[in-house]
Amino acid sequence: MFEFLKANLSDESLMLRYQQGDSAAFEKLYKRHKDPLFAYLYRSHVDLPVIEEVAQEAWMAVINAAERYRPTAKFKTYLYAIAHRKLVDYWRKNKIEYLLDRVDEKGESVVEKVPGPSKLTSATVDLSMDLLLALESLSKEQQQAFLLKEEGFTRQEIAVMTGSNEETIKSRIRYATGHLRRILEVQYAD
Amino acid sequence: MPTNQTPEDAELSRLLSQAEPPKSPEHLDEAILRYATENAPAADEAEEKTPWFPRPLTAAVATLSVAAVAVSISITSFNSGDLERGSSDFSTSQIASSDAFSPEALVLEEAVSGEDSAESETTSETTPETTRERQVAQNPANSPAPLGATVQLSRANDDIATPAPADDLREEDLREIAALGQALSTERNTSTQDAAPSSIQEEEQTSFAFSSAAQSSVAQELTTATAGQDENLGGRIEADSVLADDPALQSGVASSSPQLALRRAAPTEVRTSAIRLDSSAELVTNEDLPALLSLLEELFNSTFADGELQEEALEIETVSTEDERANQLQNRLTVISDEDELQQLNANYAELRENFADFALPATLEEAIRQLQRLVN
């Protein structure tokens, strides 16, 4: 009976329990979000060792900040915001091109101009994989806006997580969606 | 998920979900969970931070604590202050009730302040003489202090628990003193017409003096009203008393309040040097007065049976009232100057007195003459 109640606790309640020393609550919370977070990171950056490192840093940041945690927002938003920031930090630290405009003003893809693994493997994977490669052709800001939208966050939440305003997020999502659609249409049209 | 997705967006979402991403590696999970367990906030510290009462009740608990302390302090202050005030009220009320009698107030203060130790002495020494002597010794200038004796007696004996108010007591005393003073003044005026005042008058004045000097403040009134009119009497005021042997004054005392009666009775009990009259000094009652007059008339008639006194004796027979008879006897006595005649009268008085054995008459002719003079006056 108690396990049933514990299983239905919200993310915020579990985090508060862990804040009071309940390690089992954190384990429950971790199991609830580890795979979606890892998938989000993988879609953002296909290099698994890097994703593991970023994921580990994100979760450790949550653990270290557990005593200061206040349930002012959804835990998922809190977790993904930390993961997004760790990812961006990694990109900047490793001097990975963080272009704002990997799609031109007309929405046309410029992925051909950027060398990368997506171009090398785009012809050999299935459509889902092609989608992931197409995401790599997007700018990181457009990519993150689109992926966070697919994770269920609203434009407002995405704006808070990325430090942008809501209209900018809306534009980024629109450009990202148009770019991905064109890529997939060209590939399957061929 | 946004609700206003276009079909193209929905297709993109479906494609994205179909692209199965890799799951979180197990070693990563173990590392993160281990780190979470090791760095979990200490449960003991969290419990220690929890107060013994809910946080919302902090203000209420603080208010109640302050109120409890305030009530405790106020109760403590009230108890000590009430005790102090109660003791002072008792002392002042007792002193106020007797402030008109300053010597008594001193005695009372001493008795109240040393109640713990002295009360046992007072109660054990129930003999009024001891208490009275101690009071007189402590206040030699105000020797008569019967009210102090009264208060102490009332404390020792619960018969008289509440002394009468001072104002009522003084008015009552003053009325008695005024009446007695008026009577004394009349008697003194009469007696001063004689060369020497009779002993009876002196005794009465002395009795009155003592009864009025029973209280120091009342003594001042007496000095103004009566004693100051006669220097000889003033000297007698400071003498001792024969109050208990004076039936008239005793009756007056009996009609007074119990406090006054006790005040006046107590000094007579404690006086060690009181002058007491012998039995012959007792006044002749109204019942025995005719017998006394008859005895004296018969004495004169038998002693001076012949000569010119015979006619005067016969004249005495014709007088009807007792006052007239007494006056005539007084007149006849004043003309006797011969010592032999007086001795003869004295011897005949003793013989004739045996014929009046049923009456309480003076034992000697001298006492009989003294009482006759009193009747005339």
Side-chain angles (χ1 to χ4, degrees):
Chain A
M1 178 177 178
F2 292 107
E3 289 298 326
F4 171 77
L5 293 175
K6 196 172 182 179
N8 291 328
L9 289 175
S10 65
D11 296 342
E12 294 76 23
S13 298
L14 291 174
M15 189 60 188
L16 289 175
R17 282 178 173 268
Y18 176 66
Q19 190 180 50
Q20 297 177 358
D22 189 357
S23 298
F26 180 83
E27 184 177 354
K28 187 72 177 179
L29 187 66
Y30 178 77
K31 289 180 179 177
R32 188 181 291 180
H33 291 282
K34 64 171 187 175
D35 290 335
L37 180 67
F38 198 82
Y40 156 74
L41 293 176
Y42 180 75
R43 290 166 188 155
S44 299
H45 193 89
V46 292
D47 191 353
L48 283 178
V50 173
I51 296 305
E52 290 181 6
E53 182 181 351
V54 172
Q56 184 174 357
E57 290 181 356
W59 280 111
M60 290 176 64
V62 170
I63 293 169
N64 293 334
E67 292 184 3
R68 298 186 303 272
Y69 172 77
R70 294 290 180 271
T72 55
K74 291 191 298 185
F75 174 76
K76 184 179 179 181
T77 306
Y78 174 70
L79 176 64
Y80 277 71
I82 294 175
H84 169 75
R85 199 170 298 273
K86 294 293 181 182
L87 190 60
V88 171
D89 289 343
Y90 173 78
W91 286 332
R92 288 176 177 171
K93 187 183 299 181
N94 293 275
K95 297 181 179 179
I96 295 177
E97 186 181 13
Y98 193 59
L99 299 177
L100 294 177
D101 293 320
R102 294 176 69 182
V103 179
D104 60 16
E105 296 178 354
K106 296 180 181 178
E108 295 178 355
S109 175
V110 293
V111 65
E112 303 85 25
K113 303 175 185 177
V114 178
S118 59
K119 187 177 181 179
L120 299 175
T121 60
S122 60
T124 57
V125 295
D126 58 9
L127 186 60
S128 295
M129 197 62 192
D130 290 341
L131 182 59
L132 292 177
L133 293 173
L135 286 174
E136 286 292 323
S137 65
L138 294 174
S139 70
K140 293 298 180 183
E141 291 176 341
Q142 292 175 356
Q143 180 201 55
Q144 291 297 306
F146 177 79
L147 290 176
L148 290 174
K149 179 184 74 70
E150 293 298 318
E151 291 294 330
F153 295 109
T154 63
R155 288 193 292 264
Q156 183 179 5
E157 290 173 336
I158 296 169
V160 173
M161 292 167 66
T162 59
S164 306
N165 60 64
E166 191 173 346
E167 289 298 324
T168 302
I169 298 301
K170 182 180 178 181
S171 175
R172 288 174 182 172
I173 291 173
R174 182 166 55 84
Y175 280 116
T177 303
H179 175 70
L180 293 175
R181 195 181 308 125
R182 279 194 298 274
I183 292 177
L184 294 176
E185 287 176 354
V186 170
Q187 289 181 352
Y188 283 92
D190 295 339
Chain B
M1 294 287 286
T3 55
N4 55 352
Q5 278 188 325
T6 60
E8 293 79 9
D9 294 338
E11 182 63 20
L12 287 175
S13 298
R14 186 185 60 82
L15 292 174
L16 188 62
S17 63
Q18 286 179 352
E20 296 182 357
K23 295 183 181 299
S24 174
E26 190 174 350
H27 67 275
L28 180 63
D29 296 343
E30 292 177 356
I32 292 174
L33 290 177
R34 186 171 57 251
Y35 183 81
T37 303
E38 292 175 355
N39 293 275
D44 294 339
E45 293 179 358
E47 289 179 359
E48 287 178 357
K49 290 178 182 177
T50 304
W52 58 272
F53 53 87
R55 286 181 180 273
L57 298 178
T58 302
V61 171
T63 304
L64 290 176
S65 301
V66 172
V69 172
V71 168
S72 301
I73 293 173
S74 62
I75 288 174
T76 304
S77 301
F78 173 76
N79 285 339
S80 60
D82 189 46
L83 290 174
E84 293 174 359
R85 189 177 66 237
S87 61
S88 62
D89 287 348
F90 173 74
S91 299
T92 52
S93 64
Q94 292 292 328
I95 293 171
S97 64
S98 60
D99 57 353
F101 317 103
S102 55
E104 290 73 21
L106 292 174
V107 174
L108 180 61
E109 281 186 343
E110 182 180 350
V112 172
S113 61
E115 184 175 0
D116 292 339
S117 59
E119 188 172 15
S120 58
E121 295 180 11
T122 305
T123 52
S124 62
E125 297 174 2
T126 53
T127 55
E129 288 80 4
T130 307
T131 306
R132 171 65 180 164
E133 287 173 0
R134 186 168 65 240
Q135 292 170 356
V136 171
Q138 292 170 349
N139 301 288
N142 304 288
S143 54
L147 184 58
T150 302
V151 173
Q152 288 199 348
L153 285 173
S154 65
R155 292 177 63 82
N157 308 306
D158 293 333
D159 298 337
I160 305 172
T162 56
D167 294 336
D168 297 339
L169 206 60
R170 291 190 60 186
E171 291 178 1
E172 188 176 355
D173 290 341
L174 290 176
R175 281 197 299 272
E176 282 191 25
I177 291 166
L180 292 171
Q182 187 174 2
L184 177 62
S185 177
T186 303
E187 184 175 349
R188 183 180 55 80
N189 291 334
T190 305
S191 63
T192 51
Q193 292 175 358
D194 299 331
S198 65
S199 60
I200 296 176
Q201 288 172 334
E202 291 177 358
E203 290 164 2
E204 285 185 358
Q205 290 165 358
T206 304
S207 300
F208 166 71
F210 176 75
S211 65
S212 59
Q215 302 170 3
S216 60
S217 62
V218 178
Q220 294 177 357
E221 301 285 347
L222 175 64
T223 304
T224 304
T226 59
Q229 298 175 5
D230 191 336
E231 295 179 356
N232 296 329
L233 183 59
R236 298 289 294 175
I237 285 173
E238 296 179 359
D240 287 324
S241 171
V242 291
L243 172 64
D245 296 330
D246 192 334
L249 293 180
Q250 280 183 345
S251 62
V253 169
S255 63
S256 302
S257 63
Q259 292 81 5
L260 185 60
L262 182 57
R263 276 206 317 275
R264 293 187 172 178
T268 61
E269 295 174 359
V270 301
R271 292 284 171 140
T272 56
S273 60
I275 297 176
R276 298 184 180 279
L277 294 176
D278 52 12
S279 59
S280 61
E282 293 180 356
L283 295 178
V284 177
T285 62
N286 293 331
E287 297 176 356
D288 297 336
L289 182 60
L292 176 62
L293 294 174
S294 299
L295 172 61
L296 293 176
E297 288 169 354
E298 187 175 350
L299 176 65
F300 278 102
N301 291 336
S302 60
T303 304
F304 308 105
D306 47 358
E308 54 187 4
L309 291 179
Q310 183 68 31
E311 295 178 359
E312 292 177 7
L314 294 174
E315 288 179 3
I316 291 175
E317 295 292 336
T318 60
V319 176
S320 60
T321 64
E322 295 176 355
D323 291 341
E324 291 174 350
R325 293 169 65 186
N327 284 329
Q328 286 192 1
L329 287 171
Q330 175 73 16
N331 293 333
R332 294 186 67 174
L333 284 170
T334 55
V335 298
I336 298 174
S337 57
D338 190 1
E339 188 67 21
D340 295 336
E341 290 180 352
L342 287 176
Q343 289 180 357
Q344 187 177 358
L345 280 173
N346 198 20
N348 292 338
Y349 178 82
E351 293 178 359
L352 290 175
R353 185 176 180 274
E354 294 177 357
N355 298 332
F356 296 87
D358 296 334
F359 302 95
L361 299 178
T364 62
L365 177 62
E366 182 182 1
E367 286 293 332
I369 293 172
R370 190 178 300 169
Q371 297 206 19
L372 179 64
Q373 290 176 342
R374 176 176 173 272
L375 291 174
V376 172
N377 293 330

